[in-house]
Amino acid sequence: MKIITYKNNLITYENFLKKAQESNYIDGLIIPITMTKDMEIVVFDDQITGTQRTEILQNNTFNELQNSAIIKLEDFLNKISNFSKRIIINVYPLYQVILSNETIQYINEQNVNYVNKINNIIKKFPNLKISLCTFSQPLLQFIKRIILNKKKGLIIIQDDLNYMDVDFYIIAPTMLDAIIINEQLQKGKEIMISSFSSNDLAIIDDYFNNKPNNIKNILFNKLTFISGFPDIFYRLFTK
């Protein structure tokens, strides 16, 4: 079992990074990013309400958002330039407009600009173990095309693990399916299970406790879990 952590609202960035680096049961961290109105790539600290937050962030300039809990991606990576563990960048798609031939071209141009900016930043940190993911398949196409030599993942929002060929998939606990997961593991794909609430923990616990020990141990040890409370998760599932 591997554990990836994200920052929750109860911890400062400094303590979050210190805990992620020093805790031997934490294998890395995941950070959400978006682009502000004045085209600054920023990290924000709320994974759970990310979609709502990004609309606000994308419609304001960085200076207008100084009271928000955000930090420029480049500044964030500078803070963790010696971080030895995995960093997953969750790239939130840009706010979508009503689709037409003109707006599709505009969105594509914006996505290219967005991904190029991200690429230019992460290339400054070749020693960091960075990978990228998103729930937007159109955006992921640009990420795959522009950002090379980095692992890419798809956050599944529907019950299908075969949407796109990527290095890893992130699924909700409600989508746990041993047969499908085993198929993807055999293809060399990494499977991550996101956990954002006590209900998610209960679903994961119930699912694996209802499996025979041989299946539970083999499958559980091959999975990666994402949690904002990694210490609780670790204690619960290594009991």
Side-chain angles (χ1 to χ4, degrees):
M1 175 183 72
K2 295 179 181 178
I3 298 176
I4 301 292
T5 186
Y6 64 87
K7 182 187 176 303
N8 63 62
N9 291 331
L10 303 178
I11 191 171
T12 64
Y13 271 118
E14 288 71 20
N15 288 337
F16 164 65
L17 296 172
K18 185 173 185 290
K19 185 175 185 178
Q21 178 71 305
E22 296 179 358
S23 300
N24 59 12
Y25 55 87
I26 294 176
D27 297 278
L29 54 85
I30 183 168
I31 55 171
I33 67 167
T34 189
M35 186 166 69
T36 62
K37 188 176 180 180
D38 54 340
M39 299 185 179
E40 292 286 357
I41 307 298
V42 296
V43 179
F44 59 101
D45 70 347
D46 195 343
Q47 289 281 107
I48 300 172
T49 58
T51 303
Q52 292 83 359
R53 283 287 307 280
T54 51
E55 290 187 18
I56 295 171
L57 297 176
Q58 290 168 15
N59 285 305
N60 289 275
T61 66
F62 182 79
N63 287 335
E64 291 169 339
L65 295 162
Q66 286 303 296
N67 292 329
S68 303
I70 62 171
I71 181 173
K72 293 180 181 180
L73 175 61
E74 186 166 352
D75 292 342
F76 183 89
L77 295 179
N78 269 316
K79 280 179 176 285
I80 60 170
S81 57
N82 294 318
F83 192 72
S84 62
K85 300 180 181 180
R86 187 172 184 182
I87 302 163
I88 302 174
I89 297 178
N90 181 4
V91 185
Y92 273 77
L94 300 177
Y95 183 68
Q96 300 296 300
V97 296
I98 297 173
L99 293 179
S100 66
N101 289 336
E102 290 77 14
T103 56
I104 289 173
Q105 181 179 349
Y106 171 76
I107 291 170
N108 287 340
E109 290 171 353
Q110 286 289 92
N111 278 331
V112 169
N113 182 46
Y114 184 26
V115 176
N116 273 323
K117 283 181 173 291
I118 296 168
N119 192 35
N120 289 336
I121 292 169
I122 64 177
K123 283 197 297 187
K124 297 177 182 179
F125 303 90
N127 295 326
L128 292 178
K129 301 172 184 175
I130 293 174
S131 53
L132 303 102
C133 68
T134 182
F135 60 82
S136 168
Q137 293 187 53
L139 179 57
L140 187 54
Q141 294 284 11
F142 289 106
I143 292 172
K144 290 180 68 174
R145 192 179 78 196
I146 294 171
I147 301 179
L148 307 177
N149 303 317
K150 300 291 181 186
K151 289 187 176 181
K152 288 95 175 176
L154 177 65
I155 302 172
I156 304 291
I157 55 177
Q158 295 184 35
D159 197 5
D160 186 348
L161 287 181
N162 293 304
Y163 275 125
M164 291 180 68
D165 183 27
V166 290
D167 300 297
F168 61 93
Y169 297 97
I170 300 176
I171 64 174
T174 52
M175 295 172 60
L176 279 166
D177 184 307
I179 295 174
I180 295 176
I181 289 173
N182 261 323
E183 287 176 354
Q184 296 303 317
L185 290 173
Q186 288 173 10
K187 293 177 181 177
K189 308 301 182 183
E190 182 180 9
I191 303 296
M192 302 185 186
I193 315 298
S194 59
S195 172
F196 293 118
S197 67
S198 57
N199 185 56
D200 288 341
L201 289 176
I203 292 172
I204 295 169
D205 191 38
D206 182 65
Y207 181 84
F208 284 103
N209 279 334
N210 286 324
K211 291 283 179 290
N213 282 338
N214 61 328
I215 296 177
K216 173 185 174 181
N217 292 336
I218 292 172
L219 189 59
F220 200 82
N221 289 333
K222 290 182 178 179
L223 297 176
T224 300
F225 295 88
I226 298 172
S227 174
F229 298 91
D231 45 351
I232 295 174
F233 193 96
Y234 180 77
R235 289 198 302 268
L236 179 63
F237 292 106
T238 56
K239 58 189 177 182

